[in-house]
């Protein structure tokens, strides 16, 4: 479509140039530059769109809801979801968190079941990557995190605590609710206080705080 559109624009431009170039000798060259810029712009835009679909994009709202439903049914945490669009074929790639004490056989069974349900609900093939977490460390982290946050009066509540562990360390994601009138400076101080206190107990694990207001 753009090929025909550019031909039409070029033809109109040539007609204009024929009539105006006798009054302005540089008009032909300027028009050529405009056409070149237009072609370069559209080339970059179309290339970006195509490449973006190939390397992976965030799922649309409908497919994301279906994937969330599956994760709730199977009581699993899902993250890093991307869809690779190859035209007639779409592949969804995602990560699930499993207990580190599961056997390889059990992990494979769960991943295969998840892939099967994704295909049934979305019509897309799924590739599931398994991430593990240490159950004991996770419980200990959540226990210590609770006591740390209760000592900070500005924090009204917290939710969606996700713990990712590995032999090298790991990180904790947490959403913290504060008063809507709290300043950014105060929130930053609270964040640094949490990180400093937490690092004393778990030096290899990083805390990532996400702040939101109570309204």
């Amino acid at each position: 479509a753009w090929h025909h559109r550019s031909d039409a624009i070029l033809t109109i431009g040539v007609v204009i140039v024929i009539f105006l170039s006798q009054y302005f000798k540089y008009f032909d060259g300027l028009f050529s530059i405009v056409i070149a810029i237009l072609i370069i712009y559209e080339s970059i835009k179309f290339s970006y769109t195509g490449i973006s679909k190939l390397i992976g994009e965030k799922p649309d709202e409908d497919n994301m809801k279906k994937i969330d439903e599956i994760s709730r049914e199977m009581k699993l945490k899902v993250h890093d979801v991307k869809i690779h669009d190859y035209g007639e074929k779409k592949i969804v790639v995602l990560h699930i968190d499993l207990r580190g004490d599961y056997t390889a056989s059990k992990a494979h069974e769960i991943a295969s079941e998840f892939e099967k349900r994704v295909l049934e609900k979305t019509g897309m093939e799924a590739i599931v990557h398994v991430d593990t977490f240490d159950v004991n460390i996770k419980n200990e982290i959540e226990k210590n995190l609770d006591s740390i946050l209760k000592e900070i009066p500005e924090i009204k509540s917290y939710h969606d605590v996700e713990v990712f562990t590995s032999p090298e360390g790991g990180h904790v994601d947490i959403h913290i609710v504060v008063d809507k009138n709290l300043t950014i400076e105060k929130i930053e101080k609270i964040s640094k206080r949490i990180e400093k206190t937490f690092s004393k107990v778990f030096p290899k694990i990083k805390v990532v705080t996400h702040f939101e207001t109570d309204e």
Side-chain angles (χ1 to χ4, degrees), residues 6-7 18 27 42 76 98-99 103 111 121 131 135 148 153 170 175 178 182 188 193 202 206 212:
S6 62
D7 282 347
I18 290 172
F27 193 79
E42 291 301 329
L76 296 171
L98 297 180
R99 296 167 57 111
T103 64
K121 282 202 172 187
D131 296 333
V135 180
I148 291 169
H175 292 253
V178 295
L182 214 61
E188 186 178 3
R193 179 180 172 183
F202 302 98
K206 182 181 178 182
E212 54 191 63

Side-chain angles (χ1 to χ4, degrees), residues 150-177:
K150 282 181 178 178
E151 292 178 0
I152 304 174
E154 292 86 355
I155 296 177
K156 293 195 169 187
S157 62
Y158 65 92
H159 58 93
D160 293 343
V161 180
E162 294 192 5
V163 181
F164 304 91
T165 61
S166 70
E168 293 75 27
H171 72 273
V172 178
D173 277 359
I174 179 171
H175 292 253
I176 296 173
V177 180

Side-chain angles (χ1 to χ4, degrees), residues 105-118:
S105 176
K106 185 174 180 61
H108 175 71
E109 181 184 337
I110 294 171
S112 297
E113 178 62 23
F114 202 102
E115 291 171 351
K116 178 185 174 184
R117 295 192 187 190
V118 169

Side-chain angles (χ1 to χ4, degrees), residues 149 152 154-156 174-195 208-214:
L149 296 179
I152 304 174
E154 292 86 355
I155 296 177
K156 293 195 169 187
I174 179 171
H175 292 253
I176 296 173
V177 180
V178 295
D179 187 273
K180 65 178 182 179
N181 296 315
L182 214 61
T183 64
I184 299 296
E185 183 181 8
K186 185 66 176 178
I187 290 173
E188 186 178 3
K189 287 181 179 179
I190 293 172
S191 178
K192 288 182 178 178
R193 179 180 172 183
I194 293 170
E195 291 173 5
V208 181
T209 52
H210 307 274
F211 285 89
E212 54 191 63
T213 61
D214 53 355

